[in-house]
Structure formats: structure tokens, C-alpha cells
Amino acid sequence: MTDFLAAAVQLTSSQDPEANFTAAEEQIDLAARRGAELVGLPENFAFMGDDSRRLELAPTLAEQCSRFLVTMARRYQVTLLGGGFPVPVGDGQRTLNRAELVDRDGQLLARYDKIHLFDVGVPDSAEAYRESATFMAGTPAPQVIDTPFGRLGLTVCYDLRFPELYRALAADGAEIIVAPSAFTHTTGSAHWHVLTRARAIENLATIVAPNQAGHHANGRQTYGHSLIVDSWGQIKAEARSDANEVVVARIDRSRVEKLRDGFPCLSHRRLF
């Protein structure tokens, strides 16, 4: 496969998983109708709300999310990324934030548990987040797998701020890197485009970055602007609304190969 259509699904997820599944399916359907073969859902696609409610739902929601991804991939004949959903660990007071990639036959290709937790105070703002209070970080092992679209690497949201992870994925041959996210409006308006394009440029890799958008039940506002960025850092598709939306772009795999051959900055790296 030399080229293919990729889709980034943007959602305004709520605390109602069933409503979120319905909204996600509507966008997956639209993506498939437009010819997309690789479809990405954003972080928290099945639940976006209070931590206490997430912990309460997690034992059943984790299984529901995995089944949903399998069903949707088979029904619409797409390779589907579920950007992040809660998986209970330990005594149930924390969850992993798990992304799963499922092929069109419903086979699990890879899973990745988010390794960087969003524990920050946003400068010049009253916003503060401490994901580590109710999330557990995954094992820091880069996930890169072979797919019909090329070598694909998995990341989630806050990972975008850690170029060493993206470089490790590129070093393992990743041509496409997915970055399902729920970027806050404040940090997104400042850094979303810069970070996404930088990770593409640095690694000569296509970035598929579905994002949450709009206002959510827990009072959080997310930035939207779901992106597909090519390996030269050019934005090939961008969501323009603050609501549910899907964007689709054609990815030319041969361009990645030509860029890496003619502009071999990955092999020029020097460590100090």
C-alpha cells in the first residue's frame, strides 16, 4: 500500500458512555463513507467527566470499550484506534489510560498505556491538573507495530511534550504516529499546532492527532482542531468546529521514504 486515507475523529465526550459510543460510531461511519482505512478516536472517547465516576465505571467500561472497537472495526472495515479509555488497576483507586489499535477483522494489533501523566499548573491561569491522583502511568516501552499502512507508533496526549518518546518510535521505524488527545483549550491554543507539527518534522513521520473539543461535564474545555500532519510538517486536514467532526487526508507512504532518504536527519543525530 503506497497511499491510504486516514481519519481523525473529534468528539465532545460526556459522562454518558452510551451516548459517547453512539456519537463515535456516527463519525466512524462518516469516515468510512469517505474512504478512510485508518481511523483514530480521541483520548477519553468513551468517558469525559468526574474522576469518581470514571473510577466507578472503569471495571465494566474497559471491557465495553474493547468490544466497541472490535465491533466498529469489523462493521465499517477500518483499522481503528481507540485513543484512551480507563482500565482499573490495583485497589480500584486508579486506572490506566489505555489506547488500543484493532484491525478491520477485529484483531487487536497493539495496546499502549499512557506513560506521561498530566500533573501541571497552567501558567497565568487557575487551571491545575493532577492525573497521578487517579491514574497510573504505563510501562515506558515504545509501541511500534507493522500495519498495512506502514510502521505505526502509539502515543497519547501529554506524550506530545516529550520528543524523546517520539524519537524512540522513529528509531524503531515508525512512519505514522498517532496522538489521540484531550488537550485543554488553554494549552491547546498555545501549543497544539506547534507540538504536533514539531513531532512530525523532527521524526519525518505522519502524525494523526484526534482531539476532544468543547465543554465537558467536569467543567473542562478542550481545544479541538484535530489534525493530520504529514512528514514534512504540513497540515493536511484540520477540524474547524468545537463539536463532533471527522477530518480525512490522503497519506503518501512513498513521501516518508523519499524524505528520509533525501533528508536523512534521523541518521545525523549526535548524542552528547
Side-chain angles (χ1 to χ4, degrees):
M1 182 180 292
T2 58
D3 64 351
F4 64 95
L5 290 174
V9 170
Q10 179 169 287
L11 297 172
T12 306
S13 295
S14 70
Q15 294 197 125
D16 182 347
E18 291 305 320
N20 295 333
F21 288 141
T22 297
E25 180 172 6
E26 289 174 354
Q27 299 306 314
I28 295 167
D29 183 16
L30 288 173
R33 290 175 183 272
R34 293 174 62 182
E37 299 160 275
L38 173 64
V39 179
L41 301 177
E43 184 184 28
N44 303 329
F45 71 91
F47 180 87
M48 187 84 172
D50 294 335
D51 289 335
S52 59
R53 182 61 174 158
R54 169 173 51 81
L55 293 171
E56 178 185 344
L57 291 174
T60 55
L61 186 56
E63 295 180 7
Q64 289 177 312
C65 288
S66 290
R67 288 198 303 268
F68 174 80
L69 295 174
V70 168
T71 300
M72 293 300 101
R74 287 174 174 167
R75 179 174 298 168
Y76 295 102
Q77 287 294 284
V78 296
T79 297
L80 182 61
L81 173 79
F85 58 87
V87 176
V89 290
D91 60 3
Q93 297 306 301
R94 290 195 291 175
T95 67
L96 296 165
N97 188 348
R98 177 166 292 172
E100 289 187 346
L101 184 71
V102 179
D103 72 14
R104 59 193 298 170
D105 296 321
Q107 297 298 310
L108 178 66
L109 297 178
R111 64 165 50 105
Y112 166 74
D113 297 327
K114 182 179 176 183
I115 63 174
H116 295 106
L117 299 182
F118 194 50
D119 286 4
V120 304
V122 180
D124 304 316
S125 167
E127 290 180 77
Y129 303 90
R130 187 167 171 258
E131 284 190 340
S132 64
T134 58
F135 283 95
M136 179 179 289
T139 302
Q143 295 291 313
V144 181
I145 58 160
D146 290 312
T147 73
F149 319 106
R151 297 274 287 167
L152 185 147
L154 301 178
T155 69
V156 174
C157 197
Y158 190 46
D159 288 337
L160 270 170
R161 293 184 181 273
F162 299 89
E164 60 272 23
L165 171 58
Y166 279 72
R167 184 50 53 93
L169 296 172
D172 198 15
E175 304 164 77
I176 311 150
I177 302 175
V178 293
S181 299
F183 252 63
T184 72
H185 191 275
T186 304
T187 59
S189 59
H191 300 146
W192 173 249
H193 290 82
V194 174
L195 288 170
T196 307
R197 295 186 66 205
R199 300 295 86 85
I201 293 165
E202 291 167 347
N203 299 292
L204 297 172
T206 298
I207 307 295
V208 178
N211 200 16
Q212 290 281 345
H215 294 270
H216 306 273
N218 58 354
R220 185 167 170 177
Q221 183 181 4
T222 48
Y223 183 61
H225 292 271
S226 296
L227 294 173
I228 300 175
V229 181
D230 76 7
S231 50
W232 195 238
Q234 297 176 323
I235 295 173
K236 307 300 290 184
E238 179 175 358
R240 296 295 184 177
S241 73
D242 288 329
N244 298 346
E245 185 178 350
V246 62
V247 294
V248 177
R250 183 167 296 280
I251 306 301
D252 182 359
R253 283 189 63 197
S254 66
R255 181 167 170 76
V256 176
E257 183 177 352
K258 290 174 183 176
L259 282 172
R260 289 182 174 181
D261 285 344
F263 199 86
C265 61
L266 293 175
S267 65
H268 293 163
R269 185 183 183 205
R270 297 293 180 265
L271 298 178
F272 300 92

